[in-house]
Amino acid sequence: MPSKTLTVAQFLEQLPPARRREVKRIRSLIQRHLPAGYEEVISKNMLVYQVPLTTFAGTYNKQPLWYVALASEKSYLSLHLMSVYGDRAQGHRLKAGFRAAGKKLDMGKACIHFQSADDLPLDVVGAVIASMPMKRWVAVATSARR
């Protein structure tokens, strides 16, 4: 069965109003802090900010290299900060920022689960996103595969 490719507007429209409001808040944060060159797409039913294949095609799976993704799961939102997994210093920075803000960090390797944007230290999340220009992210991801 072919998958339906959604536009960003269609993706947002299909969300319940309260969830849409929170996704839009985080999307706005990402867009304000995202370094130049990353593209916004819908992939695997998530908002994804990725390195275009025209910029870097050397991924192990021949798919674009993801940098940040935002998903609306059944009972929570999920923010995937790939650089936190690929760069240990980024992970420490994020964890320290949650502690300093007095916020609970519910996180897997690079995926933060939350209910509302208010659950996140937005300044820290924005700084982590802003801190990885695309060229550096490609280098980090490439070196991690070695």
Side-chain angles (χ1 to χ4, degrees), residues 7-9 11-12 15 23-24 26-28 30-31 39-50 66 68-72 78-80:
T7 65
V8 172
F11 172 80
L12 293 171
L15 298 173
V23 168
K24 284 182 172 183
I26 300 303
R27 179 179 181 235
S28 177
I30 293 167
Q31 291 175 326
E39 64 183 0
E40 179 184 57
V41 299
I42 300 296
S43 182
K44 300 186 186 226
N45 205 32
M46 291 185 263
L47 274 172
V48 175
Y49 300 85
Q50 65 188 17
W66 288 13
V68 175
L70 178 58
S72 177
S78 181
L79 180 63
H80 303 257

Side-chain angles (χ1 to χ4, degrees), residues 45-145:
N45 205 32
M46 291 185 263
L47 274 172
V48 175
Y49 300 85
Q50 65 188 17
V51 177
L53 282 173
T54 54
T55 302
F56 178 66
T59 59
Y60 73 96
N61 62 1
K62 308 297 183 220
Q63 299 297 312
L65 178 62
W66 288 13
Y67 178 54
V68 175
L70 178 58
S72 177
E73 305 294 347
K74 185 174 181 177
S75 61
Y76 57 87
L77 292 167
S78 181
L79 180 63
H80 303 257
L81 299 173
M82 308 312 182
S83 65
V84 171
Y85 183 65
D87 182 335
R88 193 172 301 209
Q90 293 277 45
H92 291 307
R93 180 181 192 181
L94 184 68
K95 289 173 186 173
F98 266 85
R99 275 193 307 276
K103 301 209 181 249
K104 181 180 182 275
L105 177 58
D106 179 5
M107 184 173 162
K109 290 182 179 181
C111 173
I112 303 167
H113 302 141
F114 62 101
Q115 297 295 322
S116 162
D118 295 332
D119 297 337
L120 306 174
L122 298 176
D123 57 336
V124 174
V125 171
V128 167
I129 292 169
S131 70
M132 192 70 70
M134 190 166 43
K135 187 174 181 179
R136 181 168 170 238
W137 174 232
V138 169
V140 167
T142 302
S143 69
R145 295 285 311 153

